[in-house]
Amino acid sequence: RKNVVLYYCEEYDIMKVLAIDQSSTVSGWAVMEDEELIDEELIVLTGKSNRLFRLKQEVEKLYLKYNPDEMLWENLKGSSFGRGKKGYSNPDTTRVLGEVTGVLRCFAEENNIPYTEYVPSTVKSVCCGTNDKVILGYYIAEKYGIKIPKLKSGKNKGELVSRKSHRFFNRTDAIALGLCHFLKQNKR
């Protein structure tokens, strides 16, 4: 952490975080200091073999490059992903996302990096006061100057992205995790 002295002589810690919207194929990541976005992109894992190991390698590269003070990711317990009327409808999806989260947790603990998990609904409500993923994505894109892609084909060609535009939302969800963290920290 860098210590900054504000003009009224109060010491203030500037914290750098690495926020990850975890997935077994395309994970969004963002590095932020306070509410400022430093960098963001995607970790794209192709092929079926060694995905978890390759995810760990990519996270390690990000850690070495940016040296964050803390890591953030989604807490899957509060996620409605794959949920049917009687609970989670796709146990394979739940298992795979649990494995991915385990890689992140193991990496953080192995390197003594503090980490925080946020329930997706908390991130949405803290950042923009709604529980709508699309509204959150558009809000983050506008706030941080991220281009909202338009659909390239189909009957809705030329319209703005929808829930099915995973790569865009993986990026904006990671940024939203970081923003949520700092907004919650500042309320304390």
Side-chain angles (χ1 to χ4, degrees):
R1 294 183 183 203
K2 300 177 203 169
N3 289 327
V4 176
V5 179
L6 297 179
Y7 67 92
Y8 50 90
C9 299
E10 182 178 302
E11 193 173 295
Y12 179 75
D13 286 340
I14 294 183
M15 177 187 285
K16 187 187 300 179
V17 298
L18 170 60
I20 299 175
D21 180 48
Q22 72 266 38
S23 167
S24 65
T25 54
V26 181
S27 297
W29 63 267
V31 175
M32 299 179 77
E33 281 185 343
D34 280 339
E35 294 180 34
E36 181 185 346
L37 179 63
I38 304 301
D39 201 0
E40 59 84 23
E41 195 47 67
L42 297 169
I43 298 171
V44 180
L45 302 171
T46 58
K48 298 265 183 202
S49 63
N50 300 322
R51 274 193 195 161
L52 296 174
F53 179 71
R54 289 185 288 140
L55 175 64
K56 183 181 180 228
Q57 288 178 317
E58 293 301 317
V59 170
E60 184 171 27
K61 287 178 193 175
L62 293 170
Y63 174 72
L64 292 172
K65 182 175 181 178
Y66 294 104
N67 194 28
D69 300 305
E70 188 170 357
M71 291 178 64
L72 316 170
W73 56 81
E74 287 186 344
N75 179 329
L76 300 174
K77 286 190 294 188
S79 178
S80 60
F81 186 83
R83 188 178 293 179
K85 290 181 181 176
K86 297 181 181 178
Y88 289 97
S89 60
N90 189 337
D92 287 337
T93 301
T94 304
R95 178 187 54 80
V96 169
L97 288 174
E99 289 171 350
V100 169
T101 302
V103 167
L104 298 176
R105 185 176 289 150
C106 184
F107 179 82
E109 290 177 359
E110 181 178 70
N111 291 283
N112 295 316
I113 307 166
Y115 62 86
T116 303
E117 297 180 334
Y118 286 102
V119 175
S121 60
T122 298
V123 174
K124 292 173 194 140
S125 65
V126 167
C127 289
C128 63
T130 182
N131 205 15
D132 187 306
K133 183 179 187 77
V134 175
I135 292 172
L136 175 65
Y138 286 5
Y139 171 78
I140 293 295
E142 184 176 318
K143 182 173 178 66
Y144 292 102
I146 296 169
K147 183 179 176 186
I148 301 172
K150 295 188 178 198
L151 299 174
K152 295 180 181 173
S153 62
K155 68 178 185 177
N156 298 326
K157 181 178 179 180
E159 291 183 14
L160 297 178
V161 297
S162 66
R163 292 185 199 289
K164 295 183 179 180
S165 302
H166 295 294
R167 289 179 181 228
F168 170 74
F169 290 114
N170 289 30
R171 292 169 58 211
T172 58
D173 284 357
I175 297 166
L177 275 164
L179 178 60
C180 172
H181 187 68
F182 290 116
L183 290 173
K184 287 181 77 64
Q185 296 283 325
N186 290 336
K187 288 182 181 177
R188 291 182 185 165

